[in-house]
Amino acid sequence: MTHDAHHSGPSGRSHRPVFVIGCPRSGTTLLQQMLHCHPRSAMPSETRFVHAAYEERHAFGALEDAANRRELGEWITGRKATKFAVLGLDAGLVTEEIAAGPPTLGSALATVFRAYAREHGKERWSDKRPSYFRRVPMLRRMFPDAQFVHLVRDGRDAIGSLKGMPWYKGDVVSAALTWREAGSARVRAVRRAATARRAARALPPGRGAPPPRPAAPGRRGAAGPHPRAQPGRLAAARVGAARARARTVIGAQ
């Protein structure tokens, strides 16, 4: 499931991927453009194949089979919905590189971003989507050496900007709840990372991670652990309280 981690290259400089996350309208696009201007970092505009490939991973079968990796590569490069075309890469070459690469989903996805970095003469790849704040466990599972930049903008500014977007169809309360959820995701991610570090230190010497769980019944192969859990949602009993807190944020403007 994971990509081959390359913490540093021959120069000793880090090659770890970077993911930029945050509530929509928090400045993620501005940071993406700044990072892409860095001489070592390539960060494309938003694509839509990372989380989609994870959700469909069982459909490709065991990735130890090169034919299945090629099928995955064709799925990434050949569908309009993945927005692969915005990368400006040769779909056939990328597909063949995925087929010849390591047998994990993370490695296949990293192959696409590394090809993009090479195209721009950069050593290190990055990615950004605001909605990744809901998918940090997924990203850490595929890219365990990844680094994250979580942007947090003042809630009043983020909500006001989000409400002004023609593509946003929610009301002010839903915008406030989105901002609050993004902030809560940051706290949860920090706590999970701290727990993982404590657990790793507690393992006896020579003990590694437990083996992956088997594929769900009826799936074609075991390309990864069980399908991801649905993103956490507020229980019905908590919606009223959450809305009241959201109105408090708006009323403070």
Side-chain angles (χ1 to χ4, degrees):
M1 177 62 77
T2 61
H3 81 126
D4 285 353
H6 295 287
H7 292 280
S8 61
S11 64
R13 294 186 294 187
S14 176
H15 285 192
R16 296 166 63 187
V18 176
F19 290 96
V20 174
I21 63 177
C23 177
R25 309 303 300 166
S26 290
T28 57
T29 299
L30 176 61
L31 183 58
Q32 174 257 322
Q33 294 170 349
M34 293 169 66
L35 288 176
H36 187 64
C37 289
H38 191 279
R40 293 189 60 236
S41 173
M43 178 176 281
S45 56
E46 291 183 24
T47 58
R48 297 185 182 274
F49 56 79
V50 172
H51 69 280
Y54 183 82
E55 291 169 356
E56 296 293 329
R57 64 195 183 279
H58 293 286
F60 303 107
L63 295 182
E64 287 79 4
D65 187 335
N68 290 341
R69 295 198 297 276
R70 181 172 287 103
E71 181 183 349
L72 169 62
E74 291 170 349
W75 183 91
I76 293 172
T77 63
R79 298 172 69 247
K80 185 177 180 180
T82 64
K83 299 184 71 173
F84 172 83
V86 305
L87 301 178
L89 301 174
D90 185 298
L93 291 178
V94 171
T95 297
E96 289 307 310
E97 189 172 351
I98 290 173
T104 65
L105 179 58
S107 294
L109 298 174
T111 294
V112 181
F113 289 111
R114 281 198 296 267
Y116 179 81
R118 286 198 308 268
E119 184 73 13
H120 290 267
K122 308 290 184 70
E123 304 172 15
R124 190 174 183 182
W125 65 267
S126 307
D127 190 24
K128 83 97 178 172
R129 281 198 73 184
S131 63
Y132 279 162
F133 75 78
R134 295 188 175 101
R135 303 173 186 273
V136 171
M138 172 200 77
L139 295 170
R140 288 180 60 85
R141 195 168 294 134
M142 292 190 292
F143 309 101
D145 62 333
Q147 295 177 295
F148 292 84
V149 179
H150 190 152
L151 293 181
V152 181
R153 185 181 184 185
D154 184 284
R156 295 162 294 185
D157 294 328
I159 293 163
S161 180
L162 188 57
K163 278 291 295 171
M165 293 296 100
W167 45 263
Y168 185 73
K169 305 304 179 184
D171 59 14
V172 69
V173 173
S174 65
L177 291 174
T178 298
W179 178 84
R180 181 174 179 271
E181 183 187 2
S184 299
R186 177 176 178 270
V187 173
R188 290 194 300 271
V190 170
R191 288 175 177 170
R192 277 194 298 264
T195 300
R197 285 193 295 269
R198 286 195 297 269
R201 287 196 296 266
L203 285 174
R207 280 287 301 277
R213 297 170 66 182
R219 300 287 187 171
R220 248 178 58 188
H226 282 292
R228 66 175 181 86
Q230 292 296 313
R233 302 183 186 281
L234 290 171
R238 297 171 57 200
V239 170
R243 285 179 176 272
R245 286 191 293 270
R247 292 190 180 95
T248 300
V249 172
I250 303 306
Q253 295 189 68

